[in-house]
Amino acid sequence: MKFLDIGEVAEKSGIKPSALRYYEEAGLISSVSRHGLRRQFAPEVLLQLKLIAMGKSAGFSLGEIGGMFHRDGMPNLPRAVIHAKADEIDRKIRELVALRDTLRHVADCPAPSHMECPTFRRLVDMAGKRGARRGKWDKPKRAT
Amino acid sequence: MKFLDIGEVAEKSGIKPSALRYYEEAGLISSVSRHGLRRQFAPEVLLQLKLIAMGKSAGFSLGEIGGMFHRDGMPNLPRAVIHAKADEIDRKIRELVALRDTLRHVADCPAPSHMECPTFRRLVDMAGKRGARRGKWDKPKRAT
DNA sequence: CTGCCACTTCAAGCCGACTTGAGGTCAAGC
DNA sequence: GCTTGACCTCAAGTCGGCTTGAAGTGGCAG
């Protein structure tokens, strides 16, 4: 079986060796063995690193990402917890959509004061529903 | 006109006064005047803070957020730049969707090794198109 | 006029996420 | 068998994003 040296992983993933060691120490990834001193990584680690990059870009901390995908790449967490994470991401998606639409709106709407523009306010309000912890606002849809 | 004390802004926004001062220093918000020493904020600042919170949650740095919404809450940037930001957010949304679907998949798919599951790999690949800033990793050197 | 107390500034401290540097190891090529 | 160089460890440094603490200010109630 062909394993990867940390340098190869770095090259293929775009993540520096120092960061990879840091991730390993943090329990996000793990090397499968050693060749002398050198860590050997299974090729799957590249997939895990992509997942980690996605989580980071989404604004999750390494701790949170570690909570989603355990060191072997897969969550051994209860399904309910995973679904809760997925729901959290759904909320972020809604925020991002609102943010994107807000940006596009202000780029195109020539109103002097956007703060008074109802379209603008509605956009900003969109993501606010349930944005705080434990919202009391009843959201009729929790589909998917 | 009714202005807000920093304490009121903190209470209504859920952001600590120290952070609000920090944001002001960073040019993300601005107080409209002083009452004695005390900063007075226009109520609009609450909307701006929501925007800032959205950006933060989306994984943008304060600097990037400042680049989207200038200190008066509105971008004075060229439309093209704003649209570029919106496109960047679109990319993040796609990543988040893939991440969410991946999580939901691994929560429900009882396969022993997800790394071999084609559904899983496809999901992970979805967002991967040009995810990193400096993408040196998409050189097809040698497969595994 | 006197306190009170929420505010102020400024400097230092803290945490997360790495990076950097010094000094050490070891397998492979000459 | 010696050199090379990619790896190793561990400690310290850096940067962003705040928080904390000390020392000061000033509007307002009593």
Side-chain angles (χ1 to χ4, degrees):
Chain A
M1 206 187 270
K2 173 83 164 70
F3 291 135
L4 301 170
D5 224 65
I6 202 172
E8 297 175 284
V9 176
E11 196 188 343
K12 294 186 187 210
S13 68
I15 299 166
K16 287 192 179 181
S18 60
L20 293 173
R21 286 186 208 105
Y22 183 80
Y23 289 172
E24 188 182 19
E25 201 172 344
L28 281 149
I29 57 175
S30 59
S31 49
V32 78
S33 68
R34 294 279 178 131
H35 178 57
L37 282 180
R38 305 179 181 197
R39 288 163 180 81
Q40 298 300 114
F41 291 96
E44 285 77 22
V45 84
L46 294 172
L47 221 40
Q48 293 174 238
L49 287 170
K50 200 174 241 167
L51 249 9
I52 292 168
M54 286 157 73
K56 272 177 37 114
S57 150
F60 290 101
S61 70
L62 293 191
E64 288 171 312
I65 294 168
M68 297 180 196
F69 309 99
H70 217 242
R71 81 192 78 265
D72 50 359
M74 284 308 111
N76 44 3
L77 299 167
R79 292 178 69 248
V81 175
I82 298 175
H83 279 295
K85 286 284 181 187
D87 290 347
E88 193 181 337
I89 295 171
D90 254 346
R91 258 175 269 128
K92 277 198 188 201
I93 290 172
R94 260 176 257 126
E95 284 196 2
L96 276 180
V97 167
L99 187 58
R100 181 201 61 192
D101 292 346
T102 303
L103 274 176
R104 293 220 223 271
H105 170 76
V106 296
D108 295 334
C109 170
S113 171
H114 291 280
M115 288 304 175
E116 288 153 17
C117 170
T119 304
F120 178 79
R121 300 191 78 103
R122 193 179 44 73
L123 284 168
V124 177
D125 281 351
M126 292 217 62
K129 310 298 172 213
R130 281 186 120 326
R133 56 207 59 189
R134 296 202 54 79
K136 307 181 134 166
W137 306 279
D138 41 0
K139 250 268 172 158
K141 74 190 303 191
R142 281 196 98 184
T144 51
Chain B
M1 205 186 270
K2 171 85 165 72
F3 292 135
L4 302 169
D5 223 65
I6 202 171
E8 298 175 284
V9 176
E11 196 188 343
K12 293 185 188 213
S13 68
I15 298 165
K16 286 191 180 185
S18 59
L20 293 172
R21 288 187 208 104
Y22 183 79
Y23 289 172
E24 188 181 21
E25 200 173 344
L28 282 155
I29 58 175
S30 58
S31 50
V32 79
S33 68
R34 295 278 179 132
H35 178 58
L37 282 181
R38 306 179 180 196
R39 288 164 180 81
Q40 298 301 112
F41 290 95
E44 286 78 22
V45 83
L46 294 172
L47 221 40
Q48 294 174 237
L49 287 170
K50 199 174 239 167
L51 250 9
I52 291 168
M54 286 158 73
K56 272 180 33 116
S57 148
F60 289 101
S61 70
L62 294 191
E64 288 172 312
I65 294 168
M68 298 179 195
F69 308 100
H70 217 241
R71 81 194 80 264
D72 50 359
M74 284 308 111
N76 45 3
L77 299 166
R79 293 178 68 248
V81 176
I82 298 174
H83 279 294
K85 287 284 181 189
D87 291 347
E88 194 181 337
I89 295 171
D90 254 345
R91 259 175 270 128
K92 276 196 188 205
I93 290 172
R94 260 175 260 125
E95 284 196 0
L96 276 180
V97 167
L99 188 57
R100 181 201 60 191
D101 292 345
T102 303
L103 274 176
R104 295 222 223 267
H105 171 77
V106 296
D108 295 333
C109 169
S113 171
H114 292 280
M115 288 304 174
E116 287 153 19
C117 170
T119 303
F120 178 80
R121 301 190 78 103
R122 191 180 44 71
L123 285 167
V124 178
D125 281 352
M126 293 215 63
K129 314 297 171 214
R130 136 142 239 37
R133 289 193 271 281
R134 5 160 227 236
K136 16 161 73 163
W137 45 272
D138 45 24
K139 309 166 131 181
K141 287 208 136 160
R142 186 171 29 201
T144 337

mmCIF file of all heavy atoms in Angstrom, chain A residues 82-103:
data_model
loop_
_atom_site.group_PDB
_atom_site.id
_atom_site.type_symbol
_atom_site.label_atom_id
_atom_site.label_comp_id
_atom_site.label_asym_id
_atom_site.label_seq_id
_atom_site.Cartn_x
_atom_site.Cartn_y
_atom_site.Cartn_z
ATOM 1 N N ILE A 82 -25.002 14.829 14.747
ATOM 2 C CA ILE A 82 -24.579 15.167 13.388
ATOM 3 C C ILE A 82 -25.652 15.983 12.682
ATOM 4 O O ILE A 82 -25.368 16.984 12.028
ATOM 5 C CB ILE A 82 -24.281 13.888 12.590
ATOM 6 C CG1 ILE A 82 -23.127 13.129 13.264
ATOM 7 C CG2 ILE A 82 -23.899 14.232 11.166
ATOM 8 C CD1 ILE A 82 -22.853 11.799 12.620
ATOM 9 N N HIS A 83 -26.889 15.559 12.858
ATOM 10 C CA HIS A 83 -27.970 16.311 12.223
ATOM 11 C C HIS A 83 -28.070 17.713 12.803
ATOM 12 O O HIS A 83 -28.388 18.668 12.093
ATOM 13 C CB HIS A 83 -29.292 15.544 12.359
ATOM 14 C CG HIS A 83 -29.449 14.472 11.339
ATOM 15 N ND1 HIS A 83 -29.550 14.725 9.989
ATOM 16 C CD2 HIS A 83 -29.484 13.117 11.444
ATOM 17 C CE1 HIS A 83 -29.650 13.588 9.320
ATOM 18 N NE2 HIS A 83 -29.603 12.588 10.182
ATOM 19 N N ALA A 84 -27.768 17.840 14.068
ATOM 20 C CA ALA A 84 -27.772 19.174 14.676
ATOM 21 C C ALA A 84 -26.712 20.049 14.021
ATOM 22 O O ALA A 84 -26.943 21.226 13.732
ATOM 23 C CB ALA A 84 -27.524 19.066 16.182
ATOM 24 N N LYS A 85 -25.553 19.443 13.771
ATOM 25 C CA LYS A 85 -24.491 20.177 13.083
ATOM 26 C C LYS A 85 -24.946 20.593 11.691
ATOM 27 O O LYS A 85 -24.701 21.709 11.240
ATOM 28 C CB LYS A 85 -23.242 19.295 12.954
ATOM 29 C CG LYS A 85 -22.476 19.100 14.240
ATOM 30 C CD LYS A 85 -21.682 20.343 14.584
ATOM 31 C CE LYS A 85 -20.899 20.149 15.868
ATOM 32 N NZ LYS A 85 -20.261 21.398 16.309
ATOM 33 N N ALA A 86 -25.592 19.666 11.028
ATOM 34 C CA ALA A 86 -26.082 19.953 9.678
ATOM 35 C C ALA A 86 -27.086 21.106 9.727
ATOM 36 O O ALA A 86 -27.083 21.990 8.860
ATOM 37 C CB ALA A 86 -26.716 18.706 9.070
ATOM 38 N N ASP A 87 -27.914 21.113 10.749
ATOM 39 C CA ASP A 87 -28.891 22.191 10.886
ATOM 40 C C ASP A 87 -28.187 23.520 11.134
ATOM 41 O O ASP A 87 -28.612 24.576 10.643
ATOM 42 C CB ASP A 87 -29.855 21.888 12.049
ATOM 43 C CG ASP A 87 -30.791 20.728 11.718
ATOM 44 O OD1 ASP A 87 -30.855 20.339 10.528
ATOM 45 O OD2 ASP A 87 -31.443 20.204 12.633
ATOM 46 N N GLU A 88 -27.106 23.448 11.910
ATOM 47 C CA GLU A 88 -26.329 24.652 12.172
ATOM 48 C C GLU A 88 -25.771 25.202 10.863
ATOM 49 O O GLU A 88 -25.776 26.412 10.619
ATOM 50 C CB GLU A 88 -25.188 24.298 13.131
ATOM 51 C CG GLU A 88 -24.494 25.498 13.734
ATOM 52 C CD GLU A 88 -23.351 25.065 14.648
ATOM 53 O OE1 GLU A 88 -23.376 23.917 15.151
ATOM 54 O OE2 GLU A 88 -22.425 25.874 14.852
ATOM 55 N N ILE A 89 -25.289 24.309 10.042
ATOM 56 C CA ILE A 89 -24.764 24.725 8.743
ATOM 57 C C ILE A 89 -25.877 25.316 7.889
ATOM 58 O O ILE A 89 -25.673 26.314 7.198
ATOM 59 C CB ILE A 89 -24.096 23.534 8.030
ATOM 60 C CG1 ILE A 89 -22.870 23.099 8.831
ATOM 61 C CG2 ILE A 89 -23.686 23.904 6.615
ATOM 62 C CD1 ILE A 89 -22.251 21.813 8.345
ATOM 63 N N ASP A 90 -27.051 24.722 7.986
ATOM 64 C CA ASP A 90 -28.197 25.264 7.256
ATOM 65 C C ASP A 90 -28.454 26.711 7.649
ATOM 66 O O ASP A 90 -28.741 27.560 6.799
ATOM 67 C CB ASP A 90 -29.454 24.440 7.567
ATOM 68 C CG ASP A 90 -29.836 23.543 6.401
ATOM 69 O OD1 ASP A 90 -29.307 23.764 5.296
ATOM 70 O OD2 ASP A 90 -30.660 22.647 6.597
ATOM 71 N N ARG A 91 -28.337 26.979 8.919
ATOM 72 C CA ARG A 91 -28.543 28.352 9.380
ATOM 73 C C ARG A 91 -27.493 29.274 8.771
ATOM 74 O O ARG A 91 -27.790 30.377 8.326
ATOM 75 C CB ARG A 91 -28.461 28.388 10.914
ATOM 76 C CG ARG A 91 -29.827 28.460 11.569
ATOM 77 C CD ARG A 91 -29.712 28.369 13.073
ATOM 78 N NE ARG A 91 -29.804 26.988 13.519
ATOM 79 C CZ ARG A 91 -28.943 26.385 14.317
ATOM 80 N NH1 ARG A 91 -27.893 27.042 14.782
ATOM 81 N NH2 ARG A 91 -29.114 25.134 14.656
ATOM 82 N N LYS A 92 -26.264 28.795 8.751
ATOM 83 C CA LYS A 92 -25.192 29.593 8.157
ATOM 84 C C LYS A 92 -25.444 29.838 6.682
ATOM 85 O O LYS A 92 -25.171 30.919 6.162
ATOM 86 C CB LYS A 92 -23.852 28.886 8.331
ATOM 87 C CG LYS A 92 -23.251 29.154 9.674
ATOM 88 C CD LYS A 92 -21.767 28.851 9.712
ATOM 89 C CE LYS A 92 -21.313 28.970 11.155
ATOM 90 N NZ LYS A 92 -19.894 29.196 11.310
ATOM 91 N N ILE A 93 -25.947 28.836 6.029
ATOM 92 C CA ILE A 93 -26.240 28.989 4.605
ATOM 93 C C ILE A 93 -27.270 30.095 4.417
ATOM 94 O O ILE A 93 -27.111 30.965 3.562
ATOM 95 C CB ILE A 93 -26.749 27.662 3.999
ATOM 96 C CG1 ILE A 93 -25.600 26.655 3.935
ATOM 97 C CG2 ILE A 93 -27.323 27.895 2.608
ATOM 98 C CD1 ILE A 93 -26.035 25.252 3.538
ATOM 99 N N ARG A 94 -28.285 30.070 5.261
ATOM 100 C CA ARG A 94 -29.314 31.109 5.139
ATOM 101 C C ARG A 94 -28.714 32.500 5.380
ATOM 102 O O ARG A 94 -29.045 33.456 4.693
ATOM 103 C CB ARG A 94 -30.451 30.834 6.123
ATOM 104 C CG ARG A 94 -31.637 30.179 5.440
ATOM 105 C CD ARG A 94 -32.721 29.814 6.430
ATOM 106 N NE ARG A 94 -32.699 28.393 6.717
ATOM 107 C CZ ARG A 94 -32.628 27.857 7.934
ATOM 108 N NH1 ARG A 94 -32.568 28.631 8.995
ATOM 109 N NH2 ARG A 94 -32.619 26.558 8.069
ATOM 110 N N GLU A 95 -27.803 32.582 6.334
ATOM 111 C CA GLU A 95 -27.143 33.857 6.583
ATOM 112 C C GLU A 95 -26.332 34.306 5.382
ATOM 113 O O GLU A 95 -26.336 35.474 5.002
ATOM 114 C CB GLU A 95 -26.216 33.738 7.798
ATOM 115 C CG GLU A 95 -26.941 33.747 9.113
ATOM 116 C CD GLU A 95 -25.977 34.021 10.258
ATOM 117 O OE1 GLU A 95 -24.777 34.227 9.997
ATOM 118 O OE2 GLU A 95 -26.429 34.035 11.396
ATOM 119 N N LEU A 96 -25.613 33.346 4.814
ATOM 120 C CA LEU A 96 -24.777 33.681 3.667
ATOM 121 C C LEU A 96 -25.612 34.120 2.479
ATOM 122 O O LEU A 96 -25.242 35.046 1.760
ATOM 123 C CB LEU A 96 -23.911 32.484 3.292
ATOM 124 C CG LEU A 96 -22.631 32.347 4.088
ATOM 125 C CD1 LEU A 96 -21.848 31.131 3.629
ATOM 126 C CD2 LEU A 96 -21.782 33.592 3.901
ATOM 127 N N VAL A 97 -26.728 33.462 2.280
ATOM 128 C CA VAL A 97 -27.613 33.848 1.182
ATOM 129 C C VAL A 97 -28.089 35.282 1.392
ATOM 130 O O VAL A 97 -28.069 36.106 0.463
ATOM 131 C CB VAL A 97 -28.812 32.878 1.079
ATOM 132 C CG1 VAL A 97 -29.888 33.440 0.163
ATOM 133 C CG2 VAL A 97 -28.353 31.511 0.574
ATOM 134 N N ALA A 98 -28.471 35.577 2.628
ATOM 135 C CA ALA A 98 -28.935 36.929 2.922
ATOM 136 C C ALA A 98 -27.804 37.939 2.718
ATOM 137 O O ALA A 98 -28.011 39.021 2.160
ATOM 138 C CB ALA A 98 -29.454 37.002 4.354
ATOM 139 N N LEU A 99 -26.620 37.559 3.142
ATOM 140 C CA LEU A 99 -25.473 38.448 3.004
ATOM 141 C C LEU A 99 -25.173 38.701 1.528
ATOM 142 O O LEU A 99 -24.961 39.841 1.099
ATOM 143 C CB LEU A 99 -24.259 37.818 3.697
ATOM 144 C CG LEU A 99 -22.990 38.634 3.824
ATOM 145 C CD1 LEU A 99 -23.256 39.937 4.569
ATOM 146 C CD2 LEU A 99 -21.910 37.829 4.535
ATOM 147 N N ARG A 100 -25.180 37.637 0.773
ATOM 148 C CA ARG A 100 -24.918 37.758 -0.666
ATOM 149 C C ARG A 100 -25.971 38.644 -1.343
ATOM 150 O O ARG A 100 -25.642 39.561 -2.091
ATOM 151 C CB ARG A 100 -24.941 36.363 -1.290
ATOM 152 C CG ARG A 100 -24.661 36.350 -2.769
ATOM 153 C CD ARG A 100 -25.193 35.073 -3.386
ATOM 154 N NE ARG A 100 -26.644 34.967 -3.202
ATOM 155 C CZ ARG A 100 -27.332 33.853 -3.434
ATOM 156 N NH1 ARG A 100 -26.723 32.758 -3.833
ATOM 157 N NH2 ARG A 100 -28.650 33.842 -3.261
ATOM 158 N N ASP A 101 -27.242 38.372 -1.011
ATOM 159 C CA ASP A 101 -28.307 39.152 -1.637
ATOM 160 C C ASP A 101 -28.241 40.611 -1.203
ATOM 161 O O ASP A 101 -28.528 41.520 -1.993
ATOM 162 C CB ASP A 101 -29.670 38.552 -1.282
ATOM 163 C CG ASP A 101 -29.870 37.187 -1.939
ATOM 164 O OD1 ASP A 101 -29.087 36.853 -2.849
ATOM 165 O OD2 ASP A 101 -30.802 36.461 -1.538
ATOM 166 N N THR A 102 -27.861 40.810 0.048
ATOM 167 C CA THR A 102 -27.715 42.180 0.537
ATOM 168 C C THR A 102 -26.633 42.908 -0.242
ATOM 169 O O THR A 102 -26.821 44.044 -0.688
ATOM 170 C CB THR A 102 -27.351 42.161 2.035
ATOM 171 O OG1 THR A 102 -28.358 41.452 2.746
ATOM 172 C CG2 THR A 102 -27.241 43.578 2.576
ATOM 173 N N LEU A 103 -25.517 42.240 -0.415
ATOM 174 C CA LEU A 103 -24.421 42.847 -1.179
ATOM 175 C C LEU A 103 -24.861 43.173 -2.598
ATOM 176 O O LEU A 103 -24.637 44.287 -3.090
ATOM 177 C CB LEU A 103 -23.232 41.903 -1.217
ATOM 178 C CG LEU A 103 -22.273 41.993 -0.040
ATOM 179 C CD1 LEU A 103 -21.186 40.934 -0.169
ATOM 180 C CD2 LEU A 103 -21.638 43.371 0.017
#
